[in-house]
Amino acid sequence: MSILDQDIKYLPGVGPQRQQILNKELGIENFGDLLEYYPYKYVDRSKVYRIAELMSDMPFVQIKGRILSFETFDMGIKKKRLVAHFSDGSGVIDLVWFSGVQYVVKSYKVGTEYVVFGKPGIFNGRQQITHPDIDDASTLELNDMGMQPYYVTTERMKKAGMTSRTMEKIMKSLLLKLPPLTETLPAFITQPHHFVSRDEAMRMVHYPKDQYEMQHARERLKFEELFYVQLNILRYVANNRKKYKGYMLPKVGEMFHEFYSKNLKFELTGAQKRVMHEIQNDMNTGRQMNRLVQGDVGSGKTLVALMAMLIAVDNGFQAVMMAPTEILAEQHLATIKEFLHDMDVRVELLTGIVKGKRRREVLEGLLNGEVKILVGTHAVIEDTVQFQNLGLAVIDEQHRFGVAQRAKLWAKNENPPHILVMTATPIPRTLAMTIYGDLDVSVIDELPPGRKPIMTLHKYDTQKKSLYDGIRKEVAKGRQVYVVYPLITESEKMDLQNLEDGFAHLQEVFPDFKLSKVHGKMKPAEKETEMQRFARGETQMLVATTVIEVGVNVPNASVMVIMEAQRFGLSQLHQLRGRVGRGADQSYCILVSGFELAAETRKRLDIMCESNDGFRIAEADLKLRGPGDLEGTQQSGMAFDLKIANIAMDGQLVQLARDEAQRVIDGDPECNLPENMMMWNRLRELRKSSIDWAAIS
């Protein structure tokens, strides 16, 4: 057993009690886990200031001197404030504690020389440092302190006295105990990029002498983490390509040509044509297609998917389109049937509400091959659903399906069908490389001709009169309006109340309008009825929660009002905005918020007003919120278990890691060259760890 596999309780300074806390709070079980518990920030402790030099606006500082005396002040029942008057000869500063008073008095002595570290401030005209770090000066070699690491600690850890400082001391005892660490990257990778060794990186990341050491250590460790993620993904892709043969769909035949020449009433955009060529090439190579098509709302992804499905039908296969909700499945069905009007292609729907005789007819049609295209929800992957010859599966908004659900599609034919994944959530390139690393990526980055960019405005609660005037003008032109209230996940009741109050208020403000109301607590049939009333133009305003984020297509709707817009993430705001702008008229998105906004929130709303570019917005969202929080990207997979790398900030390293991993796979497709054994062994070790390295698709 490696020393890194040793139980954490055997490390000096830990023991059984702290072991339990580290297990439960941080998932740290052994020495290796602790080693990868990286600092989240560093403070420069190489300089010692004189008290006379201190100013209240300084960051954390270090001073050296002696406690002159202690003074205690009562602050109510059982509450005391302890002040130690501290001097270095150049001046006096107060060290202040509001808790742990007995411990402080017992631990620190008048007249002993200490090094004090903390943030200076002023209270009642006197300089002070609250709850400082204090070390006996005789035990510290100040010149060797360098950058002090700071570690994330939970409330439970703090209550048990396990502060960042405690963790620093535990880490120090681990590093003293460890022999030199085995290298995990080959020289042909580390040398050209001037990466330090793994052993140096691990020691320097916890105790760097300066910024230079800290950056070198972090760069090496970030690269390694990203490299093994990419190596795992690319090896999986290479294995799949060897293992799974794809059905050959070479013919662009009668159905496709009839649709293209008779039913398609407009010219495809250049981006749609490019993506269709990429799909066609994939389905003609003899290997299974796994392609992601990204494109903003309204860019024409469904049309591209339909043309791919017609190629499957022309080649004697069936196709299925799987959507995350019944509303969206029905929307796709209606769109496809409208496109295919007067064509002899049987298209059916299969969702939870298709029951009895109708369901039996659909299942029979799939088995005997009469149903050529099936549209549905996760109901299509049930064991009772059997195809005669499934050749293509289209998955819409795939992040809403679990890995196991998607994998069931593979079992629907002798070979896995070709897979086409569609998403209207634009995904930044570095994120796509990691989340969807096993998929080839196509981007539809043009909107159909005639579409005007949506004008986005930010208004405050106090400006509702002008907002309502604007709505009246649009409705007078015959247009329709969405009003969305936030989904407050903590409380469905609160969410509903919010919507009900808003609905009642809007009825008062617009007594001459007919209003529809939609929320997640309604039965599917009720929701559908209200949405259809709005779609037919029987109501002028649809008041809803985010349930309308996907699956509503009303070209006549020209205004999207998002109440309490500060509660929404960028990607979600962009998705909601995409509900309008579907016709040729000028459309508007109005973001309504209170006046008091956090700086980050204000930045988010500003970005929405400045840009309609989904990819720019997704990049900004990734930087503002980090990958783990992005709407719709929380995945089963490795992408968000990164311990030190940050996909949002480390884009160049992601690309470098991808390139190096691809070079390894290309040079050693069978994974058996001696010079690469170190990497394959390391990958095996990582796959045995607690990380879920499941293939994403």
Side-chain angles (χ1 to χ4, degrees):
M1 183 175 80
S2 156
I3 189 168
L4 294 177
D5 296 323
Q6 279 194 26
D7 194 311
I8 197 73
K9 72 181 172 194
Y10 298 119
L11 186 66
V14 179
Q17 202 175 349
R18 283 181 168 177
Q19 174 215 26
Q20 282 191 338
I21 293 171
L22 289 171
N23 281 183
K24 282 184 181 159
E25 297 299 292
L26 301 174
I28 292 174
E29 295 182 359
N30 55 39
F31 289 6
D33 294 337
L34 180 63
L35 198 60
E36 291 183 348
Y37 171 64
Y38 300 112
Y40 73 95
K41 72 170 184 180
Y42 303 84
V43 173
D44 188 351
R45 291 199 62 176
S46 57
K47 179 172 167 56
V48 179
Y49 287 85
R50 293 165 67 238
I51 292 172
E53 296 176 290
L54 299 186
M55 294 169 73
S56 59
D57 61 349
M58 282 177 145
F60 286 79
V61 297
Q62 188 166 246
I63 53 178
K64 184 179 176 185
R66 289 178 165 81
I67 295 172
L68 303 176
S69 62
F70 284 105
E71 203 174 348
T72 308
F73 299 88
D74 281 325
M75 295 183 63
I77 301 165
K78 292 186 179 176
K79 286 191 176 177
K80 292 190 186 305
R81 175 166 66 101
L82 177 67
V83 175
H85 304 296
F86 187 84
S87 175
D88 65 354
S90 75
V92 176
I93 191 167
D94 291 343
L95 310 180
V96 182
W97 292 267
F98 296 97
S99 60
V101 168
Q102 286 174 321
Y103 171 81
V104 173
V105 172
K106 200 165 66 177
S107 303
Y108 305 122
K109 304 287 179 267
V110 171
T112 302
E113 191 173 42
Y114 293 110
V115 173
V116 169
F117 180 73
K119 170 115 180 49
I122 288 186
F123 178 71
N124 281 347
R126 291 177 66 88
Q127 283 193 313
Q128 67 170 33
I129 295 177
T130 307
H131 286 273
D133 282 345
I134 300 185
D135 291 284
D136 190 322
S138 64
T139 65
L140 280 185
E141 290 183 37
L142 288 177
N143 294 338
D144 290 341
M145 283 207 66
M147 312 284 288
Q148 183 179 354
Y150 274 70
Y151 297 91
V152 171
T153 51
T154 65
E155 281 307 309
R156 190 178 165 204
M157 288 172 73
K158 285 173 191 150
K159 279 180 186 165
M162 293 179 73
T163 61
S164 170
R165 199 66 194 278
T166 314
M167 294 308 298
E168 186 194 333
K169 286 172 181 169
I170 289 172
M171 192 67 74
K172 189 167 264 183
S173 74
L174 172 66
L175 292 173
L176 288 170
K177 198 175 174 70
L178 286 183
L181 295 169
T182 309
E183 186 50 81
T184 44
L185 289 174
F188 66 77
I189 288 178
T190 57
Q191 284 175 3
H193 301 298
H194 307 290
F195 290 135
V196 297
S197 71
R198 179 170 173 79
D199 185 69
E200 283 177 293
M202 277 301 188
R203 293 176 195 278
M204 284 175 358
V205 80
H206 292 291
Y207 286 98
K209 285 195 170 59
D210 50 37
Q211 287 273 357
Y212 181 80
E213 276 198 0
M214 182 262 285
Q215 283 165 357
H216 273 264
R218 290 180 72 83
E219 186 178 40
R220 149 71 204 231
L221 295 170
K222 284 178 179 188
F223 172 83
E224 180 178 336
E225 192 169 49
L226 294 166
F227 171 76
Y228 279 107
V229 171
Q230 296 297 339
L231 191 65
N232 185 63
I233 291 167
L234 293 172
R235 194 198 57 131
Y236 168 82
V237 172
N239 284 353
N240 268 13
R241 285 182 177 167
K242 279 185 289 194
K243 191 170 163 188
Y244 298 113
K245 294 287 171 269
Y247 293 111
M248 289 287 284
L249 308 181
K251 191 164 74 173
V252 179
E254 188 185 325
M255 289 297 175
F256 186 96
H257 287 303
E258 184 184 342
F259 169 73
Y260 200 85
S261 57
K262 292 182 183 169
N263 287 28
L264 194 58
K265 303 297 182 198
F266 49 84
E267 181 73 12
L268 293 178
T269 64
Q272 284 174 313
K273 287 177 181 172
R274 184 184 70 241
V275 172
M276 268 316 300
H277 283 306
E278 288 166 354
I279 290 168
Q280 220 178 315
N281 289 342
D282 282 354
M283 297 199 296
N284 201 12
T285 59
R287 67 175 176 83
Q288 188 218 8
M289 172 173 75
N290 274 297
R291 185 166 288 280
L292 169 70
V293 176
Q294 295 189 62
D296 256 341
V297 173
S299 60
K301 296 183 298 298
T302 307
L303 174 56
V304 166
L306 171 60
M307 291 193 291
M309 291 194 283
L310 289 174
I311 292 174
V313 172
D314 274 334
N315 284 273
F317 289 90
Q318 294 160 297
V320 63
M321 180 184 273
M322 193 160 89
T325 64
E326 289 186 351
I327 290 171
L328 193 49
E330 287 165 13
Q331 184 89 47
H332 282 318
L333 181 78
T335 303
I336 288 168
K337 284 195 162 177
E338 196 179 320
F339 271 132
L340 296 179
H341 67 90
D342 297 335
M343 283 181 63
D344 185 21
V345 183
R346 186 174 165 191
V347 184
E348 293 288 0
L349 178 73
L350 194 64
T351 66
I353 55 173
V354 179
K355 291 187 167 74
K357 184 183 175 207
R358 184 85 198 99
R359 191 179 190 85
R360 284 195 300 276
E361 286 171 357
V362 172
L363 295 180
E364 279 169 23
L366 288 170
L367 203 51
N368 64 29
E370 286 176 12
V371 173
K372 302 299 182 190
I373 295 174
L374 180 68
V375 180
T377 55
H378 57 272
V380 305
I381 58 175
E382 290 169 9
D383 293 339
T384 52
V385 181
Q386 298 293 322
F387 294 81
Q388 186 189 69
N389 198 13
L390 180 64
L392 172 66
V394 179
I395 305 172
D396 192 23
E397 297 298 345
Q398 84 143 10
H399 55 262
R400 293 167 187 247
F401 296 103
V403 173
Q405 284 178 308
R406 297 194 296 269
K408 280 192 168 185
L409 278 171
W410 285 44
K412 297 292 183 185
N413 209 344
E414 198 177 330
N415 282 336
H418 292 295
I419 302 283
L420 188 65
V421 173
M422 302 196 302
T423 181
T425 307
I427 301 156
R429 200 174 51 83
T430 52
L431 195 57
M433 254 189 264
T434 310
I435 304 180
Y436 298 115
D438 57 329
L439 299 175
D440 297 310
V441 179
S442 292
V443 178
I444 303 180
D445 49 9
E446 284 176 70
L447 286 177
R451 291 271 177 98
K452 290 180 181 155
I454 300 161
M455 194 178 288
T456 305
L457 307 165
H458 177 205
K459 287 189 177 284
Y460 296 111
D461 289 337
T462 51
Q463 297 172 299
K464 279 189 179 162
K465 185 184 180 306
S466 71
L467 167 66
Y468 296 154
D469 289 346
I471 287 172
R472 281 193 187 90
K473 280 178 192 165
E474 283 298 299
V475 173
K477 293 179 198 167
R479 316 270 184 267
Q480 288 164 281
V481 181
Y482 295 103
V483 181
V484 175
Y485 284 86
L487 178 69
I488 303 164
T489 48
E490 290 82 14
S491 165
E492 284 286 338
K493 286 180 187 164
M494 199 165 139
D495 162 39
L496 211 53
Q497 191 58 49
N498 203 0
L499 179 79
E500 296 293 357
D501 290 350
F503 186 74
H505 172 67
L506 290 167
Q507 280 181 314
E508 283 175 28
V509 175
F510 301 106
D512 47 336
F513 287 9
K514 288 193 174 71
L515 276 66
S516 290
K517 178 171 61 179
V518 176
H519 57 75
K521 289 281 185 186
M522 292 165 75
K523 289 178 180 161
E526 291 174 327
K527 251 189 298 198
E528 185 57 29
T529 301
E530 286 300 297
M531 285 192 176
Q532 287 303 333
R533 284 179 68 213
F534 185 67
R536 288 194 297 268
E538 292 168 18
T539 57
Q540 286 86 38
M541 188 179 281
L542 177 62
V543 184
T545 58
T546 50
V547 72
I548 63 147
E549 187 184 340
V550 290
V552 187
N553 183 7
V554 182
N556 191 48
S558 65
V559 182
M560 166 63 71
V561 179
I562 304 173
M563 296 293 190
E564 295 185 62
Q566 75 277 7
R567 291 181 181 268
F568 296 86
L570 264 175
S571 290
Q572 202 173 26
L573 288 171
H574 184 63
Q575 284 280 324
L576 287 166
R577 175 167 62 183
R579 298 295 108 212
V580 295
R582 290 168 167 250
D585 303 306
Q586 178 62 60
S587 290
Y588 303 89
C589 175
I590 318 294
L591 310 173
V592 182
S593 77
F595 192 78
E596 286 186 20
L597 296 172
E600 188 182 292
T601 308
R602 200 172 287 279
K603 193 172 175 185
R604 207 160 61 225
L605 300 182
D606 286 347
I607 290 165
M608 282 296 294
C609 294
E610 287 162 18
S611 178
N612 278 294
D613 181 345
F615 287 95
R616 189 191 153 200
I617 284 163
E619 287 281 2
D621 208 16
L622 183 61
K623 288 200 166 85
L624 283 170
R625 301 203 288 159
D629 297 324
L630 271 183
E631 177 66 20
T633 56
Q634 193 72 45
Q635 296 274 339
S636 166
M638 177 58 198
F640 305 109
D641 293 323
L642 298 175
K643 293 189 172 81
I644 191 165
N646 179 323
I647 293 168
M649 304 301 173
D650 299 322
Q652 283 180 308
L653 277 178
V654 174
Q655 186 65 61
L656 180 63
R658 178 82 169 187
D659 293 345
E660 289 292 355
Q662 189 66 63
R663 196 154 65 96
V664 170
I665 295 285
D666 290 345
D668 188 9
E670 303 300 323
C671 308
N672 57 16
L673 289 181
E675 61 265 34
N676 292 335
M677 276 304 128
M678 169 204 289
M679 289 181 289
W680 302 126
N681 290 336
R682 176 67 176 155
L683 193 56
R684 270 192 287 275
E685 274 173 38
L686 289 167
R687 289 175 67 87
K688 282 182 201 159
S689 70
S690 58
I691 295 168
D692 178 7
W693 284 69
I696 304 299
S697 295

